[in-house]
Amino acid sequence: MKVRVYVSLKNGVLDPQGRAIHHSLEGLGFAGVNDVRVGRFIELEVADTVTDASLEDMCRKLLANTVIENFRIERVAS
Amino acid sequence: MKVRVYVSLKNGVLDPQGRAIHHSLEGLGFAGVNDVRVGRFIELEVADTVTDASLEDMCRKLLANTVIENFRIERVAS
């Protein structure tokens, strides 16, 4: 089964990477962009026996830094 | 309007970051994980006047490296 974990910075946490992209888009002449935030996603191919609790545990222990990041787990039909 | 751009490595392109995560998950004792791939997403807050063509242009010029990466654009109702 395929699982996607989306990790994004919490609101209020400075996002220098997003800022750099925003700045570059303006430099390239793209108008109308008001804000840019960057996150990452992790695509896991897991056995069907892996539980939601176990997935959340993975996020808390490794995939996300919960001090500054939020995560969202999404099971994808495979 | 909010737009999300998902950027992921093309199939066949080596993903050392995913491999490292996979290895770490195993080290932490999580069983049943068969594969891990890592991607990123960029959340843009854009004016309603920004066209799909313009968004694709942003991806090709800055957000994704189309030699090794695929991208997918998703408009989110705001």
Side-chain angles (χ1 to χ4, degrees):
Chain A
M1 178 194 297
K2 202 177 263 190
V3 176
R4 279 201 204 106
V5 175
Y6 297 92
V7 180
S8 55
L9 284 171
K10 288 185 178 173
N11 278 335
V13 177
L14 200 69
D15 180 3
Q17 204 185 351
R19 224 177 228 201
I21 290 176
H22 192 177
H23 190 76
S24 296
L25 285 174
E26 286 177 343
L28 287 169
F30 292 106
V33 178
N34 301 318
D35 192 34
V36 181
R37 305 276 289 175
V38 180
R40 64 182 183 283
F41 64 90
I42 299 117
E43 215 170 74
L44 303 150
E45 184 64 49
V46 299
D48 291 352
T49 51
V50 174
T51 61
D52 283 349
S54 174
L55 287 171
E56 202 173 314
D57 212 25
M58 290 180 199
C59 290
R60 295 195 182 281
K61 283 194 180 150
L62 183 73
L63 304 180
N65 174 356
T66 54
V67 176
I68 56 166
E69 292 172 329
N70 292 319
F71 63 87
R72 187 165 58 83
I73 298 168
E74 185 186 288
R75 281 179 184 262
V76 185
S78 58
Chain B
M1 178 195 296
K2 201 178 263 189
V3 175
R4 279 202 203 105
V5 175
Y6 297 92
V7 181
S8 56
L9 284 171
K10 288 184 178 173
N11 279 335
V13 178
L14 200 71
D15 180 4
Q17 203 185 351
R19 223 176 229 201
I21 289 175
H22 191 176
H23 190 77
S24 296
L25 285 173
E26 285 177 342
L28 287 169
F30 291 106
V33 178
N34 300 321
D35 191 35
V36 181
R37 304 275 291 174
V38 179
R40 65 183 183 283
F41 64 90
I42 300 117
E43 213 170 76
L44 303 149
E45 184 63 49
V46 300
D48 291 351
T49 50
V50 174
T51 62
D52 283 349
S54 174
L55 287 171
E56 203 173 313
D57 213 24
M58 289 180 200
C59 290
R60 295 195 181 282
K61 283 193 179 152
L62 183 72
L63 304 180
N65 175 357
T66 53
V67 176
I68 55 167
E69 292 172 329
N70 291 319
F71 63 87
R72 185 165 58 84
I73 298 168
E74 184 186 287
R75 282 178 182 263
V76 186
S78 59

